[in-house]
Amino acid sequence: MNDATQVVAALRKFGAEATSIEAKRAETALPKSVLETLSSFSNTPGGGTIILGLDEGGNFTAVGVREPTKIMADFASWARDDMVPPLVPEIDFAEVDGQTLVIADIPELPRNQKPCYVKSRGLDRGAFIRVGDDDRRLTAEEVHQLVADRGQPTFDHEPVLEATIDDLDTAEVTRYTSRLRAGTNARIFADEADAVILRMTKVIARGSDGADHPTLAGLLALGRYPQQFFPQLDVTFVSYPTITGVRDAAGLRFLDNASIDGPIPVMVEEALRVVQRNMKKRALIVGAGRRDTWEYPPEALREAVVNALVHRDLTPGSRGTQVQIEMYPDRLRIMNPGGLFGAVDVEHLGDEGTSSARNGSLLKMLEDVQIPGEDRTVCENRGSGIRTMLAALREAGMSPPRFKDGTTSFEVTLPNHTLLDEETFTWLQLLGRDGLTDAQCVGLALMRHGETMTNARYRAATGIADSNRATKELQDLVARELIDQTGLKRGASYTLSNSATSVREGGKRPRPNRRRQILRLLEVHGELSKSEVSDLLDLTSKTAEHWLRTLKNEGHIESTAPGRGRRDNRYRLTPLGLQTPLFEDDEPTSSPTS
C-alpha cells in the first residue's frame, strides 16, 4: 500500500476533498480549473496537492490519464508559462486501482511573491485562495493587502495631523527618553533633548503642514488616548456561556464583556486582568503528583495579546477593526486584522531565527515602554514571543495554540484543556508506552483530545525543532498502528487509529498481536519477505518493517541473506522463535492462512 493509495482511500472514506488536496479528471487533457487551483494552493498556507485522474463526482474513482507523460509536461508548462510568478511544482506518477495518476505538489509561495495569479485574467481577477475544498477568488482588499506586504509598511510612523505633542503622556515620554539615555544605546541618546529623541525614534514626525505631530506608533505606544483619533484601534473582550456563542438555556448572552481603550501598554495590562477574572484553576498531573494551574497560563496569554496588538494591520482600510478576544467554555480566541507578514508562515511560527515585523517602528518603541505595574517592557523584539507562548503551554501540560493565517486577518485559538489530566494519563498507560518518547506521548494525548496532527503542530506541542525528527517519530506511531496518516509530504496529517481510540480503562489493547501473526505466518511459510508479510496481513510497508525489525532485535527471527540488499531480504524463525510460546499481551486474533 503506497501513500497515493492511502490518500485516495481517505478521500473515498470522507466523501470530500481536504483543504490541501484537489482531485480532477484529466483522462485526455488538463481541465482549465487547474489554473485556479495552482493559484489558490500557491497563495494558501502550506500549499497543496493536485491529483489528476480521479473522478470527484464518482466517489473518487480512479479513471487514470491516458498519456501521463504528456499530461505531466502540459502541467509543468501551465505552471511555468500561465502563472505569475511562474511556479515549479513537484510532479510524479502513481498507480491506484490499476490506473496511472499524475500527482503534483504545489508549495506555498514566499509572502513577498504573493499573490500568484492566472496571467490571462490579470491580478484583479486571477488570484485565488483555498477555502475548504474550493478555490475562491481573492477580493480587491485581499489583493491590496498582499501587494502592500511585499515591502516594509510605513503606516505606523506616519504623522497624525489632527494630534499634537500634548496628546502624548508626558510622564510616559519622560520614562521612555530616560530609559533610552541610560540603555544599551546611550552613546546615541545620552546628550540629546527629548524632542530630538522622539523624532529620531519616530514617536513624532513633521507633517505636511511643517509642524511636528505624534505618529500613529507614537500615539499607540505613548499616547494619552489614541482612540480619540482612531476609535477602533482598541480591544474588545466577550465571554460566552456556550461553545457556539449563542444564548444559554436561561437566555444569557454574555458572561462578561468589555471594551478596552488606551495606549498599547495599558490595553495589554487591562486585557490580561479582564481575561484572568473569567478564568478558573484546574488540576495537572505531574509524575505521581498533581498541582493547580490556570486554565490559560498568564505568560502565554500575555504574548498572544501583545502579538495581536503589535502586529495588527495599521493600513487605513483596517483601522476600523479592533483586536478581539473571545472566551468560550472550550477555547479562547484572539483575532487581529492583518495576516502574517514577511518571511513567516504558520508552519514555522516559533522556529528559532524566524521573525518578521509589519510595524517596525512601533515594535522598536515598545522595547523601551513598560507595562503598567510590571518591571518589564511590552516587547523584547527578539522573535521569541511565540516560543515563549508555546513553552508556557507545554509547562502547563496544555496543547499548543491553533494559528489561522488569513490574507487580511490572523487568529490564535487556545484550547481549554490540560493534556495530562488523570484520564489521559491512565489511557496512555493502557495504550502501552514501551519504546515511546515523551514527545510521542504528548502527540497521542493531543490526538485523543480530537486534534489532527501535522509535522508543524507536533513540533509546536513537543518543542522538537528538527522537522525530520518529528516526521520520524510520527511515522513510528503510524508503524505501531497507533495513528493513521492522510495526505502526502507537507500535506500529511495524522489522527488516532481505531484501536488506539477504543482503549478503555480496565481493558486490553484491541490491536491485533502482530508478533503472533508474523510468527505463525513464518511457521506456515518458512520464509517470507517484507512485502509478502505486508500483503498477507494487509499492513503498510512501514508497519510490516517495524514489526519485522522488532522481532529480529528480540532474536525471534533472522534474515536469510544478511549481506544482501533490503529488497531481497527474507525472514525465517530462529531457534529462539521456534521455542518461544505465543505472546499473550494483546487480544487474540485469528491466524492468517497460507
Side-chain angles (χ1 to χ4, degrees), residues 514-530 532-533 536-537 547-548 551-552 556-560 570-574 577-578 591-592:
R514 300 304 187 191
R515 288 185 175 91
R516 179 188 294 128
Q517 289 181 334
I518 293 173
L519 290 176
R520 284 181 174 172
L521 280 175
L522 292 175
E523 283 180 334
V524 172
H525 295 275
E527 296 180 5
L528 288 172
S529 67
K530 180 180 72 174
E532 289 170 335
V533 171
L536 286 167
L537 295 179
W547 289 112
L548 286 168
L551 287 166
K552 186 176 179 182
H556 293 105
I557 66 173
E558 62 185 2
S559 172
T560 60
R570 298 179 68 80
Y571 299 89
R572 64 190 173 202
L573 294 174
T574 63
L578 289 167
S591 169

Side-chain angles (χ1 to χ4, degrees), residues 121-139:
R121 303 188 193 181
L123 178 60
D124 292 338
R125 296 186 56 79
F128 294 80
I129 197 166
R130 194 74 169 172
V131 178
D133 59 357
D134 292 324
D135 301 322
R136 178 179 66 76
R137 182 181 288 113
L138 289 171
T139 65

Side-chain angles (χ1 to χ4, degrees), residues 11-51:
L11 291 173
R12 291 169 179 169
K13 177 180 178 181
F14 296 108
E17 294 164 318
T19 299
S20 61
I21 300 176
E22 174 73 18
K24 297 181 183 292
R25 288 187 72 115
E27 293 167 276
T28 58
L30 289 174
K32 287 293 184 183
S33 61
V34 162
L35 294 173
E36 296 179 359
T37 306
L38 279 168
S39 170
S40 69
F41 280 152
S42 300
N43 294 326
T44 300
T49 300
I50 298 175
I51 304 178

Side-chain angles (χ1 to χ4, degrees), residues 362-490:
L362 175 61
L363 196 62
K364 186 70 175 174
M365 281 178 214
L366 292 172
E367 287 184 58
D368 293 291
V369 180
Q370 290 181 249
I371 295 177
E374 296 189 20
D375 188 24
R376 57 179 174 180
T377 60
V378 177
C379 296
E380 292 180 342
N381 198 13
R382 302 291 182 270
S384 60
I386 297 295
R387 292 201 301 277
T388 300
M389 185 193 310
L390 296 175
L393 290 166
R394 279 197 299 271
E395 185 179 349
M398 297 180 69
S399 59
R402 283 196 171 279
F403 300 111
K404 182 179 178 182
D405 179 24
T407 307
T408 57
S409 64
F410 187 76
E411 295 183 14
V412 179
T413 300
L414 305 178
N416 186 1
H417 61 246
T418 303
L419 285 177
L420 302 180
D421 55 19
E422 294 184 24
E423 187 177 346
T424 302
F425 188 80
T426 301
W427 174 77
L428 284 169
Q429 294 296 105
L430 291 171
L431 199 62
R433 299 181 58 176
D434 293 346
L436 296 180
T437 66
D438 289 343
Q440 287 175 313
C441 290
V442 169
L444 288 168
L446 267 172
M447 287 181 269
R448 181 176 183 270
H449 282 281
E451 299 278 358
T452 296
M453 193 61 56
T454 63
N455 183 290
R457 191 147 181 80
Y458 186 77
R459 287 185 283 118
T462 60
I464 291 175
D466 185 0
S467 178
N468 291 329
R469 178 186 163 190
T471 296
K472 183 177 179 180
E473 293 198 0
L474 287 165
Q475 290 298 322
D476 180 62
L477 293 175
V478 172
R480 293 171 182 265
E481 300 178 272
L482 294 174
I483 65 175
D484 296 326
Q485 176 181 341
T486 302
L488 305 169
K489 299 178 182 177
R490 285 188 295 268

Side-chain angles (χ1 to χ4, degrees), residues 22-318:
E22 174 73 18
K24 297 181 183 292
R25 288 187 72 115
E27 293 167 276
T28 58
L30 289 174
K32 287 293 184 183
S33 61
V34 162
L35 294 173
E36 296 179 359
T37 306
L38 279 168
S39 170
S40 69
F41 280 152
S42 300
N43 294 326
T44 300
T49 300
I50 298 175
I51 304 178
L52 302 173
L54 287 181
D55 182 5
E56 179 186 3
N59 195 31
F60 301 99
T61 300
V63 296
V65 293
R66 294 183 187 176
E67 298 182 69
T69 303
K70 179 180 181 301
I71 291 293
M72 178 183 285
D74 289 346
F75 191 97
S77 176
W78 284 21
R80 182 182 63 251
D81 300 331
D82 293 282
M83 308 303 297
V84 180
L87 304 177
V88 186
E90 297 178 21
I91 314 173
D92 205 351
F93 299 126
E95 189 167 302
V96 174
D97 299 340
Q99 298 289 340
T100 300
L101 309 180
V102 173
I103 299 181
D105 189 32
I106 318 299
E108 178 190 3
L109 279 177
R111 201 167 190 93
N112 61 4
Q113 295 182 33
K114 292 181 181 179
C116 174
Y117 62 93
V118 182
K119 184 188 296 184
S120 61
R121 303 188 193 181
L123 178 60
D124 292 338
R125 296 186 56 79
F128 294 80
I129 197 166
R130 194 74 169 172
V131 178
D133 59 357
D134 292 324
D135 301 322
R136 178 179 66 76
R137 182 181 288 113
L138 289 171
T139 65
E141 175 64 25
E142 289 171 330
V143 170
H144 173 76
Q145 180 71 69
L146 287 172
V147 172
D149 282 352
R150 288 177 177 175
Q152 179 64 49
T154 59
F155 299 102
D156 59 333
H157 57 79
E158 289 183 355
V160 179
L161 299 181
E162 298 87 349
T164 68
I165 304 300
D166 291 338
D167 292 306
L168 297 176
D169 186 311
T170 305
E172 291 300 327
V173 166
T174 299
R175 276 190 282 269
Y176 173 72
T177 55
S178 297
R179 186 180 180 90
L180 287 174
R181 289 190 185 98
T184 307
N185 294 313
R187 67 189 187 285
I188 299 172
F189 300 111
D191 298 324
E192 301 292 351
D194 282 2
V196 175
I197 294 175
L198 296 180
R199 192 173 295 111
M200 291 173 72
T201 58
K202 293 186 169 58
V203 174
I204 61 175
R206 184 153 297 172
S208 57
D209 58 359
D212 283 339
H213 299 271
T215 62
L216 176 53
L219 287 172
L220 289 173
L222 296 166
R224 295 165 57 202
Y225 184 52
Q227 289 74 26
Q228 174 183 353
F229 307 99
F230 304 100
Q232 300 300 306
L233 296 188
D234 62 355
V235 178
T236 60
F237 171 84
V238 179
S239 177
Y240 293 103
T242 65
I243 61 173
T244 58
V246 300
R247 300 175 189 271
D248 65 9
L252 187 64
R253 186 179 178 189
F254 304 133
L255 297 176
D256 194 3
N257 70 91
S259 179
I260 304 167
D261 292 341
I264 285 177
V266 172
M267 288 194 289
V268 170
E269 187 272 337
E270 179 66 13
L272 294 177
R273 188 183 65 79
V274 170
V275 173
Q276 190 160 6
R277 79 185 182 203
N278 285 275
M279 284 198 296
K280 303 179 181 68
K281 285 196 172 183
R282 67 195 320 161
L284 170 68
I285 302 300
V286 183
R290 55 182 286 167
R291 62 181 170 86
D292 289 335
T293 182
W294 286 106
E295 285 180 314
Y296 303 102
E299 189 69 14
L301 280 175
R302 178 183 181 277
E303 295 300 335
V305 172
V306 167
N307 282 341
L309 285 164
V310 172
H311 296 293
R312 64 154 295 155
D313 178 26
L314 291 174
T315 58
S318 295

